[in-house]
Amino acid sequence: MNWEADVFAPEASPEDKREQLRMTLLQRYGVVENELTQLPAPWYGWEWRMAGTEWLGPPGEMPDGLGELLRDRWLVAGTSLVFLQVVSPESDPFPEGEAFLDSLRVTATEPAAR
């Protein structure tokens, strides 16, 4: 998880922020456009998935033939950007990572009035 404050202009619409985010993902991070999926409402953001064979766990403990499934989500929250990533075995019969991402709610809050 990562949170970046004041990434988006406060006057920009949620749709404009989502488009700015898409362009950043394509240009700065090299994400291929047809691999991005727009998240459904109430989210303003994008998801990218990749199946890979690079093991990031302890050396020598990756079972033969097992890959990893990466699920990255970038969410617009007010003027901030929230990044979430779930890594699970590619053939995971229990989709806890998916349930984790779907259960989260990110909301922007206004500063308390004095």
Side-chain angles (χ1 to χ4, degrees), residues 52-69:
T53 57
E54 180 180 356
W55 177 249
L56 301 177
E61 292 188 17
M62 180 177 170
D64 290 336
L66 180 65
E68 291 183 324
L69 178 61

Side-chain angles (χ1 to χ4, degrees), residues 75-106:
L75 309 167
V76 174
T79 60
S80 299
L81 175 64
V82 177
F83 170 74
L84 303 169
Q85 182 179 68
V86 171
V87 180
S88 61
E90 188 176 4
S91 60
D92 188 358
F94 305 105
E96 291 93 348
E98 199 73 32
F100 167 73
L101 287 173
D102 290 340
S103 72
L104 295 176
R105 293 292 176 255
V106 178

